[in-house]
Amino acid sequence: MAVQREPSMQSKAYEFIKHKITTCEYAPNQLLSEAVLQEELGFSRTPVREAIGRLEQEGLVKVFPKRGIVVSGFTISDIGMIFEVRMLVEPHTLRNYGGNLDPDSLTRFSETFHAYDPADRCPEFYELDDQFHSLLISALPNEYLRSLYSRIQTQNIRLRVMSGQYIGSRLQETMAEHAQIADACVARDWEGAARAMEHHLERSKDSSLATILHNHGNTNII
């Protein structure tokens, strides 16, 4: 029997910091202190520094000598590139490989989206959002496209959180858009599902741009 190893301190530090960046608890362009991170984690300098180096390679933080660590912000160009990838991959997946998706899972998502109560802020919204898109992408057999999509996954989640925080109605709108996509999938109408996805991505891009422009004093815009 294989022995399951305890995650290293470096891995724990990486996951801890990445989670806080992903959920925007560490906001875009926020200055982070290596000493404070060490104190929060209860770790020595080395695993925290290694975790920061890994996050820097992934483009989630920037390290400035003698200044500190800054959570990467978003530019208008970033938004355009992220949604260009999504628009290429997600509708394509539904049109060509939607038949690979599990009908029962699609039905459960459809029921969940239709049951959404606007009065309920739905604390699990972001996890539900991520699970739905991950399910749809799971139908894609092309490993190169899946690898491309995975590179923007964390940024996708950050943008969802930021847009939801700034535009309160966006959560309700997203649930309705997801319901349209899921309903088309349940009906095995893959062209309709792809068109509904394209509409959802266009609206999500608009919300992301509005959020970034609103926060232009705290984010990098070019």
Side-chain angles (χ1 to χ4, degrees), residues 72-159:
S72 296
F74 288 99
T75 68
I76 291 175
S77 178
D78 290 332
I79 303 296
M81 288 188 289
I82 288 167
F83 279 94
E84 184 176 12
V85 171
R86 295 191 67 184
M87 192 65 81
L88 286 170
V89 176
E90 294 185 67
H92 168 77
T93 300
L94 290 171
R95 281 192 175 96
N96 294 278
Y97 305 107
N100 296 338
L101 293 167
D102 174 48
D104 291 338
S105 296
L106 293 169
T107 298
R108 285 194 294 271
F109 273 112
S110 176
E111 292 171 349
T112 299
F113 297 141
H114 281 291
Y116 172 66
D117 182 355
D120 181 6
R121 293 293 293 177
C122 189
E124 298 83 20
F125 169 81
Y126 300 110
E127 182 178 353
L128 181 67
D129 188 308
D130 190 43
Q131 289 173 351
F132 181 56
H133 285 277
S134 294
L135 170 67
L136 301 184
I137 289 299
S138 72
L140 180 64
N142 188 316
E143 293 183 7
Y144 294 103
L145 286 178
R146 290 180 71 164
S147 176
L148 175 65
Y149 188 83
S150 69
R151 289 183 61 189
I152 63 167
Q153 190 67 356
T154 299
Q155 303 292 47
N156 283 340
I157 300 171
R158 293 176 73 203
L159 288 172

Side-chain angles (χ1 to χ4, degrees), residues 170-190:
R170 186 60 197 145
L171 304 186
Q172 182 178 350
E173 293 169 354
T174 297
M175 286 291 194
E177 291 160 16
H178 281 176
Q180 290 180 334
I181 298 167
D183 288 350
C185 289
V186 170
R188 318 305 277 178
D189 175 10
W190 305 118

